Amino acid sequence: MEPSHSSSDAGAEVTRNSPRRRTGANEPDPIGDDTTPAPERTDQSAPDPSGEYRLRDGVGLADDILVSKRPLTATRLNDAAVHVVDALGRESAFRAPEAIAQETGTRPSSIRTLCERLHQRGFLEWRPARDPTHTPPVSVVVTVRNDREHLRACLDALAELAYPTYEVVVVDDGSTDGTPDAAVNHRLADERRIRVVSVGTADEPLGIGASRNRGVEVTAYGVVAFTDADCRPRPSWLADLVPHLAAHDLVGGRIRPAGDGPASVYEGHNSSLDMGPRASRVDPGGETPYLATANLVGRRAVFEAVPFPERNVAEDVAVCWGALEAGFDVVYTPDGVVEHVYRTGVRSFARRRTAYGASEALLAREQGREGMDSVEISAIGLTVVVLASAGMAATVAAPLPDWLTAAVVGVGIALAGVGAIAGGAARWRQFRRLSPAITPGDVVESWARGRLSSAYALARELTRYYTGPLVTLGGVGVFAGATGVINGAEVGGAILLCAVAVAMTLPLGVEYRVSNPETSVLAYSTYYLADHLGYQRGVYRGAVEHRTLSHLRPTARFRLSGIGVKALRRLRAARSP
């Protein structure tokens, strides 16, 4: 199938978690430090490259304790930090560290350190800095191949942009359906704001990445914006994003569905192109791992220094990660929205997810998975499951002595009891230390939400990456037991198949209940299965094509947590050369 240059072809899904940043050894610790820094004068004329902050919803200050209820997090502040949080809490608007420094008489560097630490711990919301007066001319690049009708709608939207000076560069990659004519005859041509650059041929297209590079080469201005033919930028698109380039190098905005059908409703909650409602710094192992070229704006110098790889998938991921490695500042904001027309057919939807999944193997081969997201698994819980499974398998294969059966059951119960007691003790200590800011009800609710969240994350990871092999293994077990090849194997196979069914159903139920989408359960479930199973097909196809399993290793996708993990790590470190 030939590439269409649509935004659905551009990105690869990269798993996400919250970014982590450690305070440097030479930086002051404003939490729990009673030292109040001396005042410092600053220049307020330029935007602060560190961005702006505000308290997140549900975060409050009780005396000197800062509390977030979801998730339940609390920390005790010193007097200087309390004054800063008070200043943030007086209004809901974002505030720059310099402005807070002037108000509180505190060094801006200390304010930045405090705000960043509180942001990383989930107390503050962040957004990139912007200068509303920074509105340089922009070149908008649209690459396209055989997508005439979508391009017309895209150009109609670009013609309505509320921005002072911009041009549109259409890079046509060997279209045969009249796409170039649609661009040349558009009303933007009458306004002398559009140029068409032809590359490739019908039989030998240049490709998406190379076409984007060609677009950068011919642009007239120092700021370049990318979108795709099947996208509809809103009128404020450039006005919302370009001012951020006064302090940052690349910025991406939010991508939302353009329609209201079942596919668009599902994508509205699960699209890998939509980075969500909160601004963030781009971090390969963070909550925003990359920016899609369906909505990407940056300095031309960045795209010249870090060109797109000449391929048709994951080229936007490579540019973002390359820009970070080169030292450029890459940020995301939910402003500057572009609406995307998603494929509505279930088969085409699944095929697109398969392409995304295949690109994950490519990225894993190029970059590895070090520092990427992984799902936590309780070490004690895993041990209990392994013991129970081993005992059941042994019992089916050959009856165990009563004393051995009792020993296995006893060890499992003991481990579960130890985990419950240790977890309860830790929460009791937290409650006593932070009471009355945190109530027993808060602790219980947090524990319940944490367990459900962990179960959801584990079930979703299994559904997305391992259901195929697990179903195959369960089916083999049932067949082997039913045919007498392995006595009793059908019991274990049936249990495994039931476990897979639960794992696939749990995330679906949670997502539908929490998001409350405006579509039926059947329609949502159809796209849910097409999403995960199509993506999984691509993951394994990519493993074969790119000859790597690094993205499928359980040790890369899961990590142990809880009691005994530290001791296990110390033992592993002691054994390693």
Side-chain angles (χ1 to χ4, degrees):
M1 183 179 68
E2 67 178 17
S4 66
H5 286 242
S6 72
S7 56
S8 296
D9 299 287
E13 178 178 293
V14 184
T15 51
R16 310 172 199 170
N17 68 339
S18 298
R20 295 290 180 262
R21 177 183 179 274
R22 293 185 178 180
T23 302
N26 60 340
E27 293 181 349
D29 182 356
I31 303 179
D33 180 1
D34 292 327
T35 302
T36 302
E40 179 182 283
R41 296 179 61 85
T42 61
D43 179 11
Q44 296 292 314
S45 60
D48 179 11
S50 66
E52 301 173 329
Y53 301 85
R54 71 179 178 187
L55 289 178
R56 278 194 175 182
D57 293 339
V59 174
L61 191 62
D63 294 329
D64 62 344
I65 300 176
L66 188 62
V67 180
S68 172
K69 294 296 181 71
R70 292 187 180 181
L72 183 61
T73 310
T75 187
R76 195 178 297 275
L77 305 178
N78 63 29
D79 291 341
V82 168
H83 292 318
V84 172
V85 173
D86 271 337
L88 285 169
R90 291 194 195 108
E91 51 186 283
S92 60
F94 285 93
R95 304 192 65 188
E98 275 73 7
I100 302 173
Q102 281 194 337
E103 181 178 327
T104 60
T106 305
R107 282 197 301 265
S109 59
S110 296
I111 300 293
R112 281 192 290 269
T113 301
L114 171 65
C115 288
E116 186 57 24
R117 292 191 63 195
L118 293 178
H119 166 61
Q120 298 297 338
R121 296 181 63 177
F123 296 106
L124 299 185
E125 188 175 349
W126 175 89
R127 75 175 183 185
R130 70 190 307 271
D131 179 0
T133 65
H134 184 73
T135 55
V138 178
S139 296
V140 180
V141 175
V142 182
T143 60
V144 63
R145 176 176 169 84
N146 291 329
D147 205 5
R148 180 182 57 193
E149 298 306 320
H150 275 151
L151 179 64
R152 282 175 176 165
C154 176
L155 295 179
D156 288 342
L158 291 174
E160 300 299 324
L161 291 179
Y163 194 79
T165 304
Y166 67 95
E167 66 165 353
V168 178
V169 177
V170 175
V171 182
D172 178 72
D173 193 7
S175 294
T176 59
D177 66 343
T179 292
D181 294 336
V184 170
N185 296 323
H186 194 271
R187 60 189 171 103
L188 282 170
D190 297 333
E191 302 168 5
R192 296 184 179 180
R193 286 195 290 168
I194 190 171
R195 288 185 288 145
V196 179
V197 179
S198 296
V199 299
T201 65
D203 297 326
E204 296 183 1
L206 188 62
I208 297 176
S211 295
R212 297 196 200 284
N213 290 333
R214 180 61 177 149
V216 172
E217 291 174 4
V218 303
T219 53
Y221 301 129
V223 173
V224 179
F226 286 98
T227 191
D228 291 304
D230 56 358
C231 291
R232 315 286 180 262
R234 292 181 182 174
S236 62
W237 177 46
L238 294 180
D240 286 338
L241 295 184
V242 175
H244 291 291
L245 297 181
H248 309 282
D249 298 308
L250 292 181
V251 59
R254 195 168 188 188
I255 301 171
R256 299 296 293 157
D260 55 3
S264 294
V265 171
Y266 181 84
E267 290 280 11
H269 298 283
N270 292 281
S271 173
S272 60
L273 302 178
D274 184 1
M275 298 302 161
R278 290 197 180 98
S280 63
R281 299 176 181 87
V282 172
D283 177 359
E287 59 186 6
T288 305
Y290 76 102
L291 301 173
T293 39
N295 190 350
L296 179 63
V297 181
R299 307 176 194 271
R300 175 176 172 170
V302 178
F303 299 114
E304 292 175 334
V306 187
F308 290 92
E310 296 187 0
R311 63 192 188 208
N312 295 323
V313 295
E315 79 284 353
D316 42 12
V317 180
V319 161
C320 289
W321 291 1
L324 291 171
E325 291 175 358
F328 293 109
D329 191 25
V330 187
V331 299
Y332 165 75
T333 174
D335 301 321
V337 175
V338 163
E339 295 181 357
H340 177 225
V341 179
Y342 288 100
R343 289 166 169 79
T344 57
V346 175
R347 289 186 177 181
S348 61
F349 181 92
R351 282 196 300 267
R352 185 52 44 214
R353 286 304 198 265
T354 298
Y356 286 175
S359 66
E360 185 170 336
L362 170 64
L363 293 172
R365 190 189 65 183
E366 292 181 345
Q367 304 287 339
R369 278 197 54 84
E370 184 176 354
M372 293 296 185
D373 186 21
S374 57
V375 176
E376 286 189 352
I377 298 179
S378 168
I380 288 182
L382 179 61
T383 303
V384 171
V385 171
V386 169
L387 285 174
S389 301
M392 182 177 301
T395 301
V396 171
L400 295 176
D402 292 342
W403 65 269
L404 186 55
T405 302
V408 171
V409 172
V411 170
I413 293 175
L415 287 173
V418 168
I421 293 172
R427 285 172 177 78
W428 175 250
R429 288 194 299 270
Q430 179 189 43
F431 164 68
R432 291 194 62 183
R433 183 170 62 87
L434 299 174
S435 178
I438 294 177
T439 67
D442 293 332
V443 175
V444 172
E445 181 181 356
S446 173
W447 177 86
R449 287 183 176 277
R451 301 291 73 72
L452 179 59
S453 177
S454 297
Y456 169 84
L458 175 60
R460 194 177 191 278
E461 198 78 355
L462 291 173
T463 298
R464 200 157 186 77
Y465 292 94
Y466 302 107
T467 49
L470 291 175
V471 167
T472 301
L473 182 61
V476 169
V478 171
F479 177 79
T483 56
V485 176
I486 302 177
N487 292 330
E490 69 275 12
V491 177
I495 292 175
L496 181 56
L497 292 176
C498 290
V500 171
V502 171
M504 295 181 67
T505 305
L506 175 61
L508 171 61
V510 171
E511 289 176 13
Y512 194 86
R513 175 67 178 84
V514 172
S515 60
N516 192 25
E518 295 182 356
T519 189
S520 67
V521 175
L522 178 60
Y524 191 91
S525 301
T526 299
Y527 285 98
Y528 170 88
L529 292 174
D531 177 4
H532 291 288
L533 299 183
Y535 189 87
Q536 185 174 153
R537 178 174 178 267
V539 165
Y540 287 93
R541 190 183 74 182
V544 174
E545 291 178 355
H546 302 291
R547 299 180 181 180
T548 179
L549 292 174
S550 59
H551 58 306
L552 287 168
R553 287 185 294 107
T555 53
R557 307 218 70 94
F558 303 98
R559 66 184 185 277
L560 295 177
S561 64
I563 300 173
V565 173
K566 290 183 179 179
L568 182 61
R569 289 173 181 166
R570 285 194 296 267
L571 179 62
R572 183 182 301 171
R575 289 186 174 181
S576 61

